Amino acid sequence: MTDSTQRPLPTELPEKALDTTPTSPWPVRVLSEKIRGYIDRMPPVWVEGQVVQFNERPGSGMQWLTLRDTEADASLPVTIFSRVLAMLPQPPAEGDHVVVHAKPVFWTKRGTLQMQANQIKAVGVGELLARIEALKKVLAAEGLFDLSRKQRLPFLPAVVGLVCGRESKAEHDVVVNARARWPQVRFEIREVAVQGVNAVREVSAAIAELDRDPAVDVIVVARGGGSVEDLLPFSNESLVRAVAQARTPLVSAIGHETDAPLLDLVADYRASTPTDAAKRIVPDVSEERLRLTQARGRMRGAVAAMLDREQRGLDGVRSRPVLAAPQTMLEARERDVVQALRHSRHALNALLLHASGEIGRLGAQVRALSPASTLERGYAVVQRADGHVVRRPDDVATGADVHVRLAEGALEATVTGTRSSRRAVEDNT
């Protein structure tokens, strides 16, 4: 008996996916075959990636590994014949960069896609360095390595953010040496993977987390030495750009002196080793105390020298006569004033004497010309009643009253007669 709810299979299936409908769908097997047929038409391709999982199976004719993209979170399973791996000098290990020649294969029973590889090659160190150099030129052209972008490290950070490996020697070197120099320094430590497939993601996330913390004054990214492949995450483009976007000053302490990942170029300060980073991020308390002592000594010496110099100057000024005996200057000025007064008096007396003589001379002249002098010699001035001076006999009539002015006093008289000057002369003779 047939279940009434079971949909009867159509006699003909749609040829194309666009022709399918809710009433005329493809069975899973048909879709799987269609996918496999589509993928089978894809030619083999060379693929590059990092080996993130490889468990060798001795005695098996097929080996399985997983390739991961170094720039993004994407991976693909890869199968490869054991005889192909046997041709390699050594089998691949997790973290190795390889290129494989593989063809996509879709397994219809499991509905999975994997790559079937027939060749595998390790990416050499020279090629890795060439890629790093090419990336370095691109980032330099964008200005990520310019000195103008670099920030000054704080003189005395209260909190240091440290990104390092788990229980690593680099962490020990930074923390121990920094606290030996400045015991009060505090650390915010983020232990992450510093090599392998997760290094870029974890280091970038730790830097971003510390950069968001306002208490962190400086960030140190520290790792010990290693091969080019081990240090490759610190030349990763995404990590370099994450460091370039950080607002907190960052110190790169990767590897040894000769190691130079791109992180060193974008960091605000490049330390040759983790120990060197510890010496750079905090000052030495003993050295700072010594410098303070020396500075105080120099200041005391400078102040003492200034006081001594000023005292010598003051003593020199005080030893001068003008200050040793200030009255000397006043006495000299007093003598000058007395002498000036004496000269003034002499000049005034001479002037007055000269003026007095001149006045006497002028007075004598005035007196000689004065009518009074004439009167004193016996002459008199006769005036009519109207005050008019009588100069000729005709100026007055007989019987007229006249006023006679003498040298001493005056007379009032009456004219009894007049005569001319010639007759008067003759009478006198």
Side-chain angles (χ1 to χ4, degrees):
M1 185 173 179
T2 303
D3 187 355
S4 60
T5 61
Q6 183 178 5
R7 181 189 301 112
L9 292 177
T11 56
E12 294 185 2
L13 296 175
E15 289 294 331
K16 298 180 181 181
L18 292 177
D19 296 333
T20 59
T21 64
T23 58
S24 182
W26 276 349
V28 173
R29 65 179 183 276
V30 174
L31 176 60
S32 297
E33 288 295 335
K34 293 286 187 180
I35 294 175
R36 185 179 69 174
Y38 180 81
I39 291 177
D40 285 344
R41 291 195 296 271
M42 183 177 178
V45 61
W46 285 99
V47 181
E48 177 188 355
Q50 187 178 25
V51 178
V52 295
Q53 185 178 6
F54 175 66
N55 297 319
E56 189 174 4
R57 302 179 180 182
S60 175
M62 188 71 70
Q63 303 293 335
W64 282 264
L65 56 89
T66 302
L67 287 184
R68 183 180 182 277
D69 193 291
T70 58
E71 301 293 337
D73 188 12
S75 60
L76 281 174
V78 178
T79 60
I80 188 170
F81 291 105
S82 298
R83 67 176 184 274
V84 176
L85 294 179
M87 300 174 61
L88 300 176
Q90 60 182 14
E94 292 185 3
D96 289 351
H97 285 254
V98 298
V99 290
V100 298
H101 188 255
K103 187 180 186 307
V105 176
F106 184 79
W107 296 91
T108 57
K109 290 185 178 181
R110 299 190 299 270
T112 58
L113 174 69
Q114 66 185 28
M115 305 295 291
Q116 178 68 52
N118 55 19
Q119 294 184 58
I120 183 170
K121 295 181 180 180
V123 177
V125 173
E127 186 175 354
L128 291 177
L129 293 176
R131 293 180 182 179
I132 293 175
E133 187 65 25
L135 178 59
K136 175 181 176 181
K137 293 180 180 179
V138 173
L139 298 179
E142 295 181 15
L144 266 64
F145 305 150
D146 291 349
L147 294 178
S148 59
R149 298 186 66 260
K150 298 186 182 300
Q151 305 179 67
R152 182 185 295 273
L153 301 185
F155 170 71
L156 184 59
V159 179
V160 177
L162 177 60
V163 180
C164 57
R166 296 175 178 86
E167 299 180 356
S168 62
K169 183 67 166 53
E171 176 183 350
H172 176 271
D173 290 344
V174 173
V175 175
V176 171
N177 285 281
R179 286 178 175 165
R181 292 170 61 85
W182 198 272
Q184 287 76 19
V185 66
R186 294 189 295 113
F187 281 91
E188 282 290 336
I189 301 176
R190 300 294 182 269
E191 295 182 345
V192 297
V194 291
Q195 70 180 61
V197 295
N198 296 320
V200 173
R201 177 176 55 82
E202 293 187 13
V203 172
S204 300
I207 292 174
E209 179 184 356
L210 293 173
D211 187 44
R212 289 192 299 268
D213 189 346
V216 176
D217 299 317
V218 63
I219 300 173
V220 178
V221 181
R223 186 201 188 283
S227 63
V228 174
E229 293 87 348
D230 293 337
L231 301 181
L232 197 60
F234 298 97
S235 294
N236 183 273
E237 181 178 0
S238 61
L239 176 58
V240 171
R241 294 188 181 278
V243 172
Q245 295 175 357
R247 295 172 296 176
T248 308
L250 188 139
V251 176
S252 172
I254 306 300
H256 302 298
E257 179 68 32
T258 55
D259 298 322
L262 297 184
L263 182 64
D264 288 349
L265 301 178
V266 74
D268 297 299
Y269 180 81
R270 187 250 179 183
S272 57
T273 61
T275 300
D276 180 51
K279 294 179 179 179
R280 182 63 184 85
I281 57 176
V282 293
D284 190 334
V285 63
S286 59
E287 292 181 1
E288 296 304 319
R289 287 174 178 170
L290 177 61
R291 290 175 182 173
L292 286 175
T293 302
Q294 293 173 345
R296 285 197 296 265
R298 288 194 297 269
M299 286 188 291
R300 288 194 186 97
V303 172
M306 182 182 67
L307 292 176
D308 184 62
R309 182 175 64 253
E310 296 301 325
Q311 185 63 50
R312 289 197 304 271
L314 181 59
D315 293 341
V317 171
R318 293 176 60 186
S319 64
R320 296 175 183 176
V322 68
L323 293 181
Q327 66 275 11
T328 303
M329 181 178 65
L330 298 178
E331 291 172 353
R333 301 287 81 80
E334 182 183 12
R335 289 193 298 270
D336 294 341
V337 171
V338 172
Q339 187 176 5
L341 288 174
R342 186 182 298 114
H343 291 165
S344 299
R345 289 192 182 99
H346 291 168
L348 181 59
N349 290 336
L351 182 62
L352 292 176
L353 183 60
H354 176 74
S356 177
E358 185 69 16
I359 291 174
R361 183 181 65 82
L362 294 175
Q365 292 179 358
V366 171
R367 283 193 298 271
L369 298 176
S370 174
S373 298
T374 305
L375 295 177
E376 288 178 356
R377 292 198 299 268
Y379 292 92
V381 177
V382 180
Q383 295 177 302
R384 293 185 311 195
D386 58 0
H388 187 274
V389 177
V390 178
R391 290 182 176 83
R392 295 184 303 274
D394 296 338
D395 290 339
V396 65
T398 301
D401 293 331
V402 294
H403 177 77
V404 181
R405 181 179 179 185
L406 305 177
E408 293 182 4
L411 298 176
E412 298 295 335
T414 302
V415 179
T416 60
T418 62
R419 56 183 174 179
S420 62
S421 297
R422 177 178 301 175
R423 183 178 177 184
V425 173
E426 290 176 353
D427 290 343
N428 287 334
T429 58

